[in-house]
Structure formats: structure tokens, C-alpha cells
């Protein structure tokens, strides 16, 4: 006879245990509805409790003290007084052991579906999470319709900790109620509740779309923690549910209790999200500050627009009530179901849903604060559209600085494809640069939510930075800051993707003024500050044959590298460093001893930025003249739409909305037009070029004008080439 497997024996033992527990729990009196505040007790009296099985069942004591074992909690007793006393199928998945086993298919039924109502009297026991079905479970289906796969064991946690509603359910309710006006009260509309402890919403952000995401907005995705601290059970004990604070403290100094976790704020969060002037407080307080601002906006909107004052109670269903005495407080006689709020408009519904999302994940600040911040900010912004006195967002911030702005195009561009190509991962994923430094090449990777500590730091305990002796630029030149190996990290990405060498390769052997259908725009890419700084050594700008160009811009000692002038995390310019020598707090005003009027506008007092800006305007005009008169097809430029240069179909000289699309990209390139357009784009895409190496930029702009001037009218008489 075949011997039973260890897993079968284990399950049999657990089933026996469950029988004992159920017998105990069935004697449990009905608890008062609401969230438990006392230490969980699994049995009403010591006599009714099963014997201490801690010597036989692993983690018994931890489990007994957890919310999952609290047989008196409303989460398990809410339906005890129903007739019949049973848990509806819509709730059973997470509020009964039998319902969960039904949902995952452990009872032999179809997975991801609860087939029937479940009996009352169970909690989350060993067998709920430990069975053959959950061993294979790695997919979670969310209320929005999103699915995550390949999750491993945390799929068990997220099956319940995902909320019960999303943008989809909110929009469906609004549509079903027949609402067509954002600000019209609709009697059929009631509050849509996300439900409790939806940690997966905060953590995975826009990947699961659990919050109400406003149209036209981008949102952060999965919050990437450090390696080894990425899943639910990496941070929470799976049996006691407690946060593993000791693990937190290895990186976060002073994190010695759950309360102290609220004080954590990393260097990647150097903007004032709630606008209170405090950028030292923990992210918890930034979230709370924005939440208070949203509540203020909700109350103002409810009174001014919906016409019925509103208050909120975190403990009483359905949470939002009519403020009958208009004192702005949720008084005991108001927080009763018959007094539920009943003047919902679509706009108010959406904002209230996001407020509840932030309230019902008390650990949201750790799970995915930036997603919650974006939801709160956008909700305030929406309500502000109708308020006579909008809530002040002028000092608040929705997004992180560029390197950590996970919702922005630099990191979200490849979401539809599902992976970032190997040619882009070095600079557009968190793990790309470390892989490149280790291997000298890259493979494609999944999109990431901005850069991480590990992107630049070889250690997340000592925060040492990777050492890079030199960096290879697109021209082939190997350059770097001497004796400052860690400062060279920035140059790996801030070098552009083209150069004089690559542009010359593209136009080699072609007539300067003949349209060639094989030519397409060569784009230097964004923020090629490193190439600008090293000047002709890097040859990032297109350098015309026979001309001499400036080399590396030598600043004063101590203000020579990228991080000497920019904060490595906020990216802001350290203007205080400029003031000592230049006596100005705005780098745009800086101009050294030269009195030359480079741009010919008669102003020799303006900062070098002004000289560059005017020269760019002159070059754009010359590009448009050449495209029309020589290439035979008018051209326009858009700094925000790839590939930037488009056919000016109505010949009005403006980049109109219907023109800036890829299908209308400019397609009448000549070598002469291409080189000038490349330099124009270069000057546009290094907005700090006037500081990084202003002379080099001006030389290239002047030479581009002079080259076009051989074919179209360009007045160089008042211009000066540095």
C-alpha cells in the first residue's frame, strides 16, 4: 500500500486541529462591529480554549495572538446574527477559512471563484494558507481586472489584501446612476468603499489600479524596496502579522518600533509633498498632511457644490455622513447608518474613494506612499476646480525629483511592451546601470518605478557609490573626472546618444542639399550635460569641419563635477555655491568678464543663458527658412513629441496639435538641414548648457547658422562667435 505523503499527513493533522478550533469558536459570542482595538482573544474563556499546541504546531503562539486568529473580531462575527447565520459568497473569500479554500480551489472546485455562502465560526487557520492549492498559487486577480502572476507565496496575502473596489467599480456606479454631470447630485449614487487593509493597492500602484486614477494622469507602479525586502512576508511575520522592525533598523537608523517607522524618509524624497515647509518629517506625515488637505477640500465641496455638509468616521459604516449640525465634526448622533451621506456627485465620489483608500491602508506610507500621494494630490486638484477658495497646492508636490519620478515618461514609456529594450535599460531602469557596470552590456528588463538606492550605491548599509574610472561616450572618447571615480557615475547616462561621429556616419557621401529619403532625424536624447561639459573632447554637439571648438569647461576647484553643482538626489542646483563668486542667486544671470554681444541683440549685460536662447531662436528661424526654400517642405519643432521635427502641413510656422504625431514626422532631410537640426535639439535638450559649457554651445549654434546661411538669408553681421 502506498504510504501517504508528508503534506497529506500534515493537512490531516491541521484538519483535526481545525475541528477543535471550530468547536471552540462556535461558542464565541457576537462581537460589536468595528475594527478590533484590544489584544486578540481566540476564545471567550480559558476553559473553552483548546490546549496549548505550541509544542506540536509550528508558530502556534504567534498565530494565536494575530488578527487572523481573533474569533471575536467583526471580520469573522459580522454575520453571526444573520438569518441564516452564514457569510455571503461575496465576502467568504477573506472572512472564512472555508470561503478562502473554495476560492483557491482547495476543495476541488474551480479556482478564483467562491461557489457558495460559507458558515460562520471560522478564522484564518493553518490549513487556510497551507494546502496544495496555495502551494501552487502565484496569481492574483484584482477588482480592476488587472492580474499579477509569478508572485510566489505573497499571492496568498494579496488574494485578500487587495480591496473590494477600484476605479472600475466607481465609474460603473456613476454610469449606472445615470450621472452625466461631474457636479450634479445623483440620488442613486452611494459611497463606493475600497474595504480594509488593501495593502496591495498601495504597493503595486498603477499596475493594479486600485485607487481612482484620473484621466490624463500617470501614476507610480510597484514600490521597489531593497533586495530581500520586496514581498509581504519579507516585512511582516506571516503568522503574527507584526512588522519585522529589527530588519528595518538595519538600514533605517532609529527604526526601533512600528511608530518610529513613521519617521522614515529617504534621500529620494526631497520635495515637500504636503507643502507645509517641513522636508525632514517622515513620509507618513507627508501622506497625512495631504489627506487632511483632501478632507478640507471634500468638506468645502460638499457644502458649496453638493449643497449638503459632510463628515467622515473611520469606524462607522458607511464612513461618510451628513453633518447635520454643520460643525465639521463627526458627532456620535450623526455617525449612524440612516444619516449616511446622500448628496454624492461624481466628482465628490471619486475624491472620497481616494480618501478612503488612504485611510484603509494604515501602512500605505510604507507600502507605496508615492502612489497614495498622487491619488490625494489629484483628488484635491479636481475638487479645487469648483471651490471658491481652492485648497492651496502651490507649495505641495505630486511627484519625486526626476531620478525617482516613477510615473513619468522616462520610466513608463515601455509599459505597453512589458519590457525596456537593452539599449535603454542602462538609464531607464533601476537595475540597468549596475548590470552595465558589472558586465559592460545590458539585456532587456522589466520597467521599473524610477531609480533606486542600489542604482548608484554598491551598498545600502554604508551607501558607498560605485567607482567608475572613465566613461565611453557616443563619439568613442573615454572621459571622466580625474581622481573622482564615483562622480563619473552621472556621465554614464548624461552623455547623450549621438555625436559628431555618429551624425557624420549618417550623412557620409551625401550631397549637402539634396533630400535623401534614407535620412532621418538624429536625436542626441535628453540631458547630455556630460558631453557639453567635456566639449570637443566628447564631441556631443555636431562640430563642423575646419572649425575649432572649446574643450572641457574648467570651473573653480570644488565646483567641477556634476554633484559639486547639483544635489545628487533632488537634482537641484546648489545656488549657494554660485553666490560666493557670482553674487547672484540665479545661474541664468551669470556672465563673466566678456562684453561680446554673441546673439547680436544689443544686450551685453544679460546672462549667458540669454545669449544662448536668442541664438537658438535665430537658428530655428533659419532651419524653417531652409526647409521651406531648399528642402521644399516646411518644418516645425515640438520639444515634447518624438521625433520632435514634423511637417508643417498648414505652413503657419506653428507646431499644431494635429501635426505633432509620428506619422507626420519630417521626412525631407538633407545633410545640411540634419546637422543644424541636431545642434538645435542638442541646445534644447541640455537646458543647463549655458552653465555646463556655454562657449561650446554658442560656437555650435553660430556655426549651424553660418552653414545654413550659405543657402538661405542669415544675418551674421551682428553675431559674435566665441
Amino acid at each position: 500500500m502506498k504510504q501517504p505523503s508528508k503534506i497529506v499527513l500534515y493537512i490531516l493533522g491541521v484538519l483535526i486541529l481545525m475541528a477543535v478550533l471550530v468547536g471552540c469558536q462556535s461558542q464565541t459570542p457576537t462581537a460589536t462591529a468595528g475594527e478590533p482595538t484590544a489584544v486578540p482573544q481566540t476564545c471567550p474563556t480559558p476553559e473553552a480554549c483548546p490546549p496549548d499546541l505550541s509544542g506540536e504546531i509550528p508558530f502556534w503562539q504567534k498565530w494565536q495572538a494575530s488578527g487572523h486568529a481573533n474569533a471575536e473580531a467583526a471580520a469573522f462575527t459580522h454575520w453571526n446574527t444573520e438569518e441564516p447565520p452564514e457569510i455571503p459568497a461575496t465576502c467568504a473569500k477573506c472572512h472564512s477559512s472555508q470561503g478562502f479554500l473554495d476560492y483557491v480551489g482547495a476543495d476541488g472546485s474551480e479556482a478564483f471563484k467562491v461557489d457558495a455562502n460559507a458558515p460562520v465560526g471560522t478564522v484564518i487557520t493553518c490549513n487556510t494558507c497551507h494546502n496544495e492549492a496555495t502551494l501552487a498559487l502565484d496569481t492574483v486577480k484584482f477588482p480592476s481586472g488587472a492580474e499579477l502572476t509569478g508572485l510566489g507565496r505573497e499571492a496568498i496575502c494579496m488574494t485578500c489584501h487587495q480591496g473590494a473596489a477600484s476605479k472600475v467599480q466607481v465609474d460603473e456606479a456613476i454610469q449606472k446612476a445615470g450621472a452625466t454631470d461631474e457636479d450634479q447630485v445623483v440620488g442613486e449614487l452611494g459611497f463606493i468603499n475600497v474595504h480594509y487593509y488593501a495593502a496591495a493597492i498601495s504597493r503595486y500602484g498603477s499596475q493594479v489600479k486600485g485607487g481612482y486614477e484620473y484621466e490624463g494622469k500617470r501614476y507610480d507602479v510597484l514600490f521597489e524596496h531593497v533586495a530581500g525586502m520586496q514581498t509581504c512576508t519579507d516585512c511582516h511575520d506571516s503568522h503574527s502579522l507584526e512588522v519585522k522592525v529589527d530588519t528595518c533598523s538595519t538600514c533605517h537608523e532609529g527604526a526601533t518600533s512600528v511608530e518610529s517607522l513613521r519617521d522614515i524618509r529617504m534621500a529620494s524624497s526631497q520635495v515637500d509633498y504636503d507643502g507645509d515647509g517641513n522636508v525632514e518629517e517622515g513620509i507618513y506625515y507627508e501622506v497625512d498632511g495631504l489627506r487632511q488637505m483632501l478632507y478640507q477640500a471634500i468638506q468645502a465641496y460638499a457644502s458649496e457644490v453638493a449643497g449638503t455638509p459632510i463628515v467622515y468616521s473611520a469606524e462607522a459604516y458607511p464612513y461618510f455622513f451628513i453633518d447635520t449640525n454643520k460643525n465639521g465634526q463627526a458627532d456620535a448622533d450623526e455617525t449612524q447608518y440612516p444619516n449616511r451621506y446622500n448628496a454624492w456627485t461624481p466628482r465628490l465620489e471619486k475624491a472620497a474613494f481616494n480618501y478612503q483608500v488612504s485611510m484603509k491602508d494604515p501602512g500605505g506610507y510604507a507600502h507605496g506612499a508615492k502612489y497614495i500621494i498622487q491619488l490625494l494630490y489629484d483628488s484635491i486638484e479636481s475638487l479645487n476646480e469648483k471651490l471658491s477658495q481652492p485648497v492651496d497646492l502651490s507649495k505641495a508636490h505630486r511627484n519625486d525629483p526626476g531620478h525617482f519620478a516613477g510615473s513619468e515618461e522616462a520610466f513608463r514609456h515601455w509599459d505597453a511592451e512589458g519590457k525596456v529594450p537593452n539599449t535603454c535599460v542602462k538609464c531607464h531602469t533601476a537595475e540597468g546601470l549596475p548590470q552595465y557596470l558589472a558586465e559592460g552590456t545590458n539585456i532587456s528588463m522589466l520597467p521599473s518605478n524610477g531609480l533606486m538606492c542600489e542604482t548608484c550605491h554598491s551598498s545600502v548599509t554604508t551607501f558607498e557609490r560605485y567607482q567608475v574610472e572613465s566613461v565611453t561616450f557616443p563619439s568613442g572618447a573615454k572621459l571622466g573626472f580625474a581622481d573622482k571615480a564615483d562622480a563619473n557615475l552621472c556621465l554614464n547616462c548624461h552623455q547623450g546618444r549621438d555625436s559628431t561621429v555618429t551624425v557624420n556616419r549618417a550623412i557620409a557621401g551625401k550631397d549637402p542639399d539634396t533630400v535623401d529619403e534614407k535620412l532621418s532625424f538624429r536625436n542626441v536624447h535628453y540631458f547630455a550635460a556630460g558631453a557639453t561639459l567635456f566639449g570637443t573632447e566628447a564631441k556631443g554637439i555636431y562640430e563642423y569641419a575646419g572649425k575649432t571648438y572649446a574643450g572641457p569647461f574648467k570651473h573653480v576647484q570644488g565646483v567641477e563635477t556634476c554633484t559639486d553643482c547639483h544635489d545628487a538626489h533632488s537634482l537641484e542646483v546648489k545656488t549657494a555655491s554660485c553666490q560666493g563668486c557670482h553674487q547672484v542667486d540665479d545661474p541664468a544671470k551669470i556672465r563673466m568678464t566678456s562684453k561680446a554681444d554673441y546673439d547680436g541683440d544689443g544686450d551685453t549685460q544679460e546672462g549667458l543663458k540669454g545669449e544662448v536662447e536668442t541664438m537658438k531662436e535665430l537658428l530655428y528661424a533659419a532651419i524653417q527658412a531652409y526647409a521651406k526654400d531648399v528642402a521644399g517642405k516646411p518644418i516645425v519643432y515640438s520639444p515634447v513629441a518624438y521625433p520632435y521635427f514634423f511637417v508643417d502641413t498648414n505652413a503657419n510656422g506653428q507646431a499644431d496639435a494635429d501635426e505633432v504625431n509620428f506619422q507626420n514626422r519630417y521626412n525631407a532631410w538633407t545633410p545640411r538641414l540634419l546637422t543644424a537640426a541636431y545642434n538645435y535639439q542638442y541646445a534644447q535638450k541640455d537646458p543647463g548648457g549655458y552653465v555646463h559649457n556655454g562657449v561650446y554651445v554658442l560656437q555650435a549654434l553660430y556655426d549651424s547658422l553660418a552653414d545654413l546661411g550659405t543657402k538661405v538669408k542669415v544675418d551674421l553681421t551682428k553675431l559674435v562667435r566665441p
Side-chain angles (χ1 to χ4, degrees):
M1 179 178 177
K2 186 177 179 180
Q3 295 297 312
S5 67
K6 290 183 178 180
I7 185 66
V8 171
L9 290 173
Y10 178 70
I11 291 174
L12 286 172
V14 170
L15 289 173
I16 294 170
L17 168 64
M18 287 176 63
V20 175
L21 288 175
V22 170
C24 166
Q25 291 155 5
S26 64
Q27 302 176 50
T28 303
T30 302
T32 304
E35 298 182 40
T37 55
V39 176
Q41 296 294 321
T42 58
C43 301
T45 64
E47 294 77 15
C49 285
D52 183 357
L53 300 179
S54 57
E56 302 175 37
I57 304 296
F59 312 111
W60 171 267
Q61 291 182 336
K62 283 186 175 183
W63 169 79
Q64 274 213 312
S66 76
H68 282 175
N70 186 1
E72 293 186 349
F76 302 115
T77 64
H78 179 78
W79 301 270
N80 285 7
T81 57
E82 298 293 320
E83 289 295 338
E86 59 184 11
I87 304 172
T90 52
C91 306
K93 177 181 74 172
C94 302
H95 294 280
S96 78
S97 182
Q98 182 171 315
F100 188 88
L101 293 170
D102 183 352
Y103 181 80
V104 299
D107 61 355
S109 65
E110 179 185 350
F112 302 113
K113 177 184 177 183
V114 178
D115 300 294
N117 296 346
V120 298
T122 66
V123 292
I124 306 303
T125 65
C126 305
N127 191 51
T128 310
C129 300
H130 297 280
N131 56 72
E132 290 185 346
T134 54
L135 282 174
L137 182 68
D138 72 346
T139 297
V140 176
K141 298 185 177 184
F142 287 80
S144 65
E147 286 189 26
L148 296 179
T149 60
L151 294 169
R153 298 299 284 168
E154 71 172 340
I156 300 173
C157 311
M158 291 197 293
T159 293
C160 286
H161 292 283
Q162 57 168 258
S166 68
K167 172 184 170 67
V168 171
Q169 284 70 36
V170 173
D171 284 340
E172 285 176 349
I174 291 170
Q175 183 179 16
K176 184 178 179 180
T180 56
D181 185 333
E182 278 285 282
D183 303 295
Q184 181 67 45
V185 173
V186 182
E188 292 77 14
L189 197 57
F191 177 59
I192 306 300
N193 179 34
V194 68
H195 213 54
Y196 292 80
Y197 303 119
I201 286 178
S202 309
R203 177 136 170 69
Y204 279 86
S206 196
Q207 286 176 256
V208 301
K209 299 188 181 303
Y212 191 89
E213 300 184 5
Y214 289 85
E215 297 299 325
K217 299 284 190 177
R218 282 199 183 101
Y219 294 84
D220 274 32
V221 294
L222 171 66
F223 170 56
E224 297 276 5
H225 217 139
V226 297
M229 296 295 291
Q230 296 283 27
T231 71
C232 307
T233 54
D234 286 340
C235 297
H236 293 266
D237 186 289
S238 56
H239 298 96
S240 71
L241 312 184
E242 293 179 354
V243 178
K244 299 176 181 178
V245 177
D246 289 346
T247 305
C248 303
S249 62
T250 59
C251 289
H252 301 292
E253 186 177 351
T256 56
S257 65
V258 172
E259 291 70 26
S260 64
L261 297 181
R262 296 179 175 185
D263 296 322
I264 293 175
R265 187 187 190 108
M266 297 300 290
S268 58
S269 303
Q270 290 194 1
V271 294
D272 186 7
Y273 302 100
D274 63 0
D276 66 354
N278 186 351
V279 292
E280 302 296 328
E281 64 186 350
I283 291 298
Y284 168 89
Y285 299 101
E286 296 283 1
V287 172
D288 191 54
L290 272 173
R291 183 164 46 222
Q292 292 177 37
M293 293 164 68
L294 176 55
Y295 188 45
Q296 175 188 344
I298 285 172
Q299 289 194 301
Y301 178 95
S303 295
E304 286 186 33
V305 182
T308 302
I310 195 171
V311 288
Y312 176 84
S313 170
E315 292 79 27
Y317 181 83
Y319 310 103
F320 286 98
F321 301 90
I322 299 171
D323 185 12
T324 53
N325 60 12
K326 301 181 181 180
N327 70 347
Q329 306 297 318
D331 300 313
D333 61 331
E334 293 174 334
T335 57
Q336 307 296 320
Y337 186 80
N339 190 50
R340 64 192 179 279
Y341 195 74
N342 60 0
W344 294 103
T345 72
R347 191 187 303 273
L348 183 58
E349 180 79 64
K350 297 168 185 177
F353 181 82
N354 280 346
Y355 182 84
Q356 180 78 330
V357 167
S358 77
M359 287 294 296
K360 292 307 175 187
D361 180 12
Y365 68 97
H367 299 143
K370 306 308 170 62
Y371 182 65
I372 301 298
I373 284 170
Q374 290 166 344
L375 294 176
L376 294 172
Y377 186 102
D378 291 348
S379 299
I380 297 167
E381 192 175 59
S382 174
L383 294 174
N384 273 351
E385 293 178 19
K386 294 296 177 179
L387 296 183
S388 59
Q389 292 185 310
V391 173
D392 185 11
L393 285 174
S394 63
K395 296 179 181 178
H397 290 77
R398 180 187 190 273
N399 291 329
D400 285 321
H403 285 172
F404 312 104
S407 63
E408 297 306 291
E409 177 72 6
F411 300 106
R412 302 272 61 81
H413 181 79
W414 300 271
D415 283 354
E417 292 87 346
K419 66 178 182 179
V420 184
N422 68 304
T423 53
C424 305
V425 295
K426 180 177 72 172
C427 305
H428 294 279
T429 67
E431 298 175 343
L433 181 58
Q435 183 187 71
Y436 180 81
L437 295 177
E439 306 295 339
T441 189
N442 284 116
I443 60 173
S444 61
M445 293 182 176
L446 296 174
S448 63
N449 196 49
L451 303 188
M452 296 172 62
C453 301
E454 298 99 313
T455 305
C456 299
H457 296 277
S458 56
S459 168
V460 292
T461 53
T462 62
F463 290 100
E464 296 173 8
R465 291 180 290 273
Y466 288 105
Q467 302 294 299
V468 180
E469 295 303 323
S470 66
V471 175
T472 302
F473 282 72
S475 64
K478 295 183 183 296
L479 304 168
F481 301 110
D483 303 321
K484 296 186 178 181
D486 62 341
N488 291 330
L489 275 175
C490 309
L491 302 178
N492 279 281
C493 289
H494 293 283
Q495 57 172 249
R497 295 192 59 178
D498 268 297
S499 66
T500 300
V501 174
T502 58
V503 174
N504 274 337
R505 191 179 299 138
I507 64 176
K510 301 180 186 297
D511 182 78
D513 301 299
T514 298
V515 173
D516 190 322
E517 63 180 16
K518 294 182 179 179
L519 279 181
S520 59
F521 178 59
R522 303 293 302 193
N523 178 34
V524 67
H525 213 55
Y526 293 78
F527 305 120
T532 309
L533 186 65
F534 282 94
T536 193
E537 289 187 7
K539 288 182 167 47
I541 286 179
Y542 185 77
E543 300 183 3
Y544 290 86
K547 299 292 185 179
T548 301
Y549 292 88
F553 174 55
K554 301 291 186 182
H555 217 142
V556 297
Q557 187 175 7
V559 193
E560 302 167 277
T561 71
C562 308
T563 51
D564 287 341
C565 297
H566 294 267
D567 185 283
H569 299 101
S570 72
L571 310 183
E572 292 181 356
V573 177
K574 300 175 182 178
T575 54
S577 300
C578 306
Q579 294 171 355
C581 292
H582 299 289
Q583 304 299 309
V584 295
D585 57 6
D586 181 1
K589 298 176 182 178
I590 294 175
R591 186 188 187 106
M592 297 303 286
T593 56
S594 173
K595 297 298 181 182
D597 185 12
Y598 301 112
D599 61 6
D601 66 354
D603 186 354
T604 58
Q605 302 301 313
E606 65 181 343
L608 207 56
K609 181 179 181 181
E611 301 283 355
V612 170
E613 290 300 317
T614 305
M615 195 84 83
K616 283 196 298 185
E617 293 171 6
L618 294 173
L619 178 55
Y620 184 46
I623 286 171
Q624 289 192 302
Y626 179 95
K628 177 177 177 291
D629 298 338
V630 181
K633 188 173 288 188
I635 195 171
V636 286
Y637 175 83
S638 170
V640 295
Y642 180 82
Y644 310 104
F645 286 97
F646 303 90
V647 178
D648 186 10
T649 53
N650 60 13
N652 71 348
Q654 306 296 318
D656 301 313
D658 62 334
E659 293 175 333
V660 290
N661 60 79
F662 187 78
Q663 288 70 32
N664 190 50
R665 63 193 180 279
Y666 195 75
N667 58 1
W669 294 106
T670 71
R672 196 183 307 275
L673 180 60
L674 183 63
T675 53
Y678 175 86
N679 278 350
Y680 179 79
Q681 171 78 335
Y682 191 105
Q684 287 283 94
K685 294 306 176 187
D686 182 8
Y690 66 96
V691 170
H692 300 142
N693 200 339
V695 168
Y696 184 54
V697 174
L698 285 168
Q699 288 172 338
L701 293 173
Y702 182 98
D703 291 347
S704 299
L705 278 165
D707 191 52
L708 291 176
T710 62
K711 293 297 178 180
V712 296
K713 185 177 180 180
V714 174
D715 185 6
L716 296 174
T717 58
K718 295 181 180 180
L719 306 185
V720 176
R721 184 185 193 274

